[in-house]
Amino acid sequence: MGTELLAPLDLAFWHLESDAHPMHLGALAVFSPPADPAHGVGPETVLELLGTRAASIPRLRMRVRDVLLPVGGAAWFVDKDFDVHRHIERVQLTEAESPGEDGGFMAGATRLAGELMERPLERGLPPWQMYVIGCVDGGSFAVLVKLHHALADGMRAVAIGAGIFDEIASVAGRARSGMPARRARTAPPRSWMPGPRQVAGLALGRIEDLGRAFGVGASMVRASRLDLRGAPALTASSSGTRRLATADLDLDAVQRIRRAAGGTTNDVLLAVVVGALRRWMLERGEQLPAEDPRALVPVSRRRPGQAAATGNKLSAYLLALPVSEPDPWKRLRNVRTAMDRNKSAGPFRGAGAVAVLADQLPSLAHRFGAPIAGNAARMLFDVLVTSVPLPRSALSLGGCPLRAVYPMAPLARGQSLAIALSTYGGRVQVGLVADGKALPDLERLAGCVEDEVAQLLALLPAR
């Protein structure tokens, strides 16, 4: 793998970062001890496995450097001094958070993960880090994975991170060991000068891209809010601290609600988030905001059958969260209607497609305009809510079954909460990342997520 320029959107994420707003994605993977205690793994084994497997993933050996051309640009280079041991660290729990006590272990793991998410990744190295949390012989443990957003979006991050698991690593190992592979079709040689048709096609494509970017920009102006007062907790000033909380939902329960209400599983999960926010605000004694808060809901621009492009291929939808609606089923119906409208317009239109606009800007604009763009995020949305797809098959590390994966999204400037959801093992795992001082009661919000599903289920027989 040689030099590769950062795409405009990747460059935007690279320059949006500050000490108080690190731009990395995260995932807390929780592992159970193996069924046979005789095959338990210790911390040194886990560290060695992670090091060996991470070092074999080419993308994790790349770092970012500035380039002369394009002006303001940057590129991925292979780190010739790459040392995987600089990227993997073991972190100890306190005695009260003993791995032998599952509740104490999870509380300790989430506490540590929140603190570790505060730390920006070192920019002179390949931008990723892994932490082994609470690993002792024969007990549960967790692995926190951090990948810079410039390196990958959620789907690509899953593809990269999956290389640490036994099942994926064994397949990759067989491929590297010289197993016969299908011969790739070779394209006929092309002239280095494009022909007239190619020139016309490139020009037409560029005009279409610029027209799309102009439309997105106009939508952003129309959707921007000059009055930034909203839900107090969601619009608090940043302290640079991070707190993590988790929630677990029964996927079968979510599907029962979906079958009764129609729409998609994601519609139900978005409605659950809305109900949880409403419940949490009222429990805090807050007055519901005069204007419903808005969520940025990322959507992948990757399509089945496309080549696995590196970096980010993202757009997003803007969604008003109807927290002012007291009826849970009406909230769900409102969410479904709004998402249907977004999907009809498509991921390349509307103010939420700000990532599409970013992909059309020159490198120099990202280098100098990132602080302005970061501060403008509050004018468009209040909270990020994203779903991260995971493999459906059972996974393990060193023979220890993967029990749960809690995804974590970065916080934009001026925002206090980001919510990420993933589905694995018949459960929906929710990772809530918040500014630690703005939302000290984040665990209660996580509980409200679970309470909202229970309420929707309780109302099913009456329908």
Side-chain angles (χ1 to χ4, degrees), residues 21 23 238 242 374 377-378 381 384 410-418:
H21 294 89
M23 289 301 298
S238 173
R242 292 293 179 270
R378 282 183 60 191
F381 65 97
L384 178 75
L411 290 181
R413 284 186 179 94
Q415 289 159 350
S416 305
L417 176 67

Side-chain angles (χ1 to χ4, degrees), residues 223-260:
S224 296
R225 301 168 300 184
L226 297 180
D227 184 356
L228 300 181
R229 291 173 298 174
L234 302 181
T235 57
S237 59
S238 173
S239 68
T241 61
R242 292 293 179 270
R243 191 177 187 91
L244 170 67
T246 63
D248 283 89
L249 310 176
D250 181 6
L251 179 59
D252 181 63
V254 173
Q255 297 289 19
R256 286 174 58 195
I257 297 168
R258 179 193 61 79
R259 288 192 292 269

Side-chain angles (χ1 to χ4, degrees), residues 56-140:
S56 69
I57 300 172
R59 200 71 191 167
L60 296 185
R61 304 175 69 94
M62 308 282 284
R63 70 183 185 92
V64 176
R65 285 201 331 230
D66 291 342
V67 294
L68 293 175
L69 293 174
V71 177
W76 293 103
F77 289 82
V78 175
D79 185 358
K80 296 180 180 179
D81 300 318
F82 176 75
D83 180 0
V84 74
H85 298 99
R86 300 179 71 175
H87 297 267
I88 299 176
E89 180 182 343
R90 185 185 177 203
V91 186
Q92 301 280 10
L93 293 168
T94 66
E95 289 186 11
E97 299 162 342
S98 167
E101 297 293 336
D102 201 52
F105 164 68
M106 277 306 301
T110 54
R111 176 189 62 79
L112 272 175
E115 293 173 2
L116 294 169
M117 286 293 286
E118 293 178 12
R119 304 180 186 176
L121 295 164
E122 190 171 338
R123 291 173 77 86
L125 299 174
W128 64 274
Q129 198 76 27
M130 295 184 190
Y131 300 91
V132 179
I133 300 174
C135 184
V136 297
D137 292 342
S140 298

Side-chain angles (χ1 to χ4, degrees), residues 7 33 63 74 90-91 113 139 142 157 191 195 216 225 234 263 271 277 329 360 420 432 439 446 451:
R63 70 183 185 92
R90 185 185 177 203
V91 186
S191 168
V216 172
R225 301 168 300 184
L234 302 181
L277 285 171
W329 288 100
Q360 306 304 320
L432 302 95
L439 276 72
D451 293 343

Side-chain angles (χ1 to χ4, degrees), residues 216 220 296 315-317 347-358:
V216 172
M220 287 177 59
L296 188 74
S315 183
Y317 298 137
F348 296 98
R349 299 182 63 182
V354 60
V356 176
L357 175 62

Side-chain angles (χ1 to χ4, degrees), residues 45-372:
T45 303
V46 173
L47 290 169
E48 182 181 354
L49 271 176
L50 288 175
T52 301
R53 292 173 180 177
S56 69
I57 300 172
R59 200 71 191 167
L60 296 185
R61 304 175 69 94
M62 308 282 284
R63 70 183 185 92
V64 176
R65 285 201 331 230
D66 291 342
V67 294
L68 293 175
L69 293 174
V71 177
W76 293 103
F77 289 82
V78 175
D79 185 358
K80 296 180 180 179
D81 300 318
F82 176 75
D83 180 0
V84 74
H85 298 99
R86 300 179 71 175
H87 297 267
I88 299 176
E89 180 182 343
R90 185 185 177 203
V91 186
Q92 301 280 10
L93 293 168
T94 66
E95 289 186 11
E97 299 162 342
S98 167
E101 297 293 336
D102 201 52
F105 164 68
M106 277 306 301
T110 54
R111 176 189 62 79
L112 272 175
E115 293 173 2
L116 294 169
M117 286 293 286
E118 293 178 12
R119 304 180 186 176
L121 295 164
E122 190 171 338
R123 291 173 77 86
L125 299 174
W128 64 274
Q129 198 76 27
M130 295 184 190
Y131 300 91
V132 179
I133 300 174
C135 184
V136 297
D137 292 342
S140 298
F141 65 95
V143 176
L144 173 64
V145 181
K146 291 165 50 175
L147 296 173
H148 200 285
H149 214 329
L151 183 66
D153 54 29
M155 289 183 67
R156 184 65 180 161
V158 170
I160 293 172
I164 69 172
F165 295 110
D166 299 338
E167 294 75 10
I168 285 85
S170 62
V171 172
R174 288 196 298 270
R176 288 191 297 270
S177 66
M179 290 183 67
R182 290 183 298 178
R183 185 183 297 273
R185 295 180 180 178
T186 56
R190 295 187 304 171
S191 168
W192 65 274
M193 289 189 65
R197 290 186 179 179
Q198 290 173 290
V199 170
L202 290 171
L204 182 60
R206 185 58 179 160
I207 291 171
E208 290 175 347
D209 289 343
L210 291 173
R212 181 182 297 136
F214 181 81
V216 172
S219 297
M220 287 177 59
V221 172
R222 290 193 297 269
S224 296
R225 301 168 300 184
L226 297 180
D227 184 356
L228 300 181
R229 291 173 298 174
L234 302 181
T235 57
S237 59
S238 173
S239 68
T241 61
R242 292 293 179 270
R243 191 177 187 91
L244 170 67
T246 63
D248 283 89
L249 310 176
D250 181 6
L251 179 59
D252 181 63
V254 173
Q255 297 289 19
R256 286 174 58 195
I257 297 168
R258 179 193 61 79
R259 288 192 292 269
T264 67
T265 301
N266 198 50
D267 293 340
V268 175
L269 293 175
L270 287 168
V272 166
V273 168
V274 175
L277 285 171
R278 173 187 169 84
R279 184 185 301 262
W280 173 69
M281 290 175 185
L282 292 175
E283 287 186 2
R284 291 176 120 224
E286 289 186 13
Q287 185 176 359
L288 294 176
E291 181 181 350
D292 286 334
R294 292 194 290 198
L296 188 74
V297 183
V299 56
S300 175
R301 290 191 281 139
R302 301 178 191 274
R303 293 293 175 263
Q306 283 185 335
T310 58
N312 288 268
K313 298 289 289 182
L314 285 174
S315 183
Y317 298 137
L318 272 185
L319 175 68
L321 304 178
V323 297
S324 57
E325 172 55 59
D327 187 303
W329 288 100
K330 287 184 180 178
R331 288 197 296 267
L332 202 163
R333 187 163 56 248
N334 291 346
V335 166
R336 178 186 172 186
T337 300
M339 287 301 291
D340 285 346
R341 190 183 308 119
N342 278 327
K343 293 168 191 173
S344 295
F348 296 98
R349 299 182 63 182
V354 60
V356 176
L357 175 62
D359 243 350
Q360 306 304 320
L361 297 178
S363 303
L364 205 58
H366 288 303
R367 183 174 291 271
F368 293 108
I372 299 173

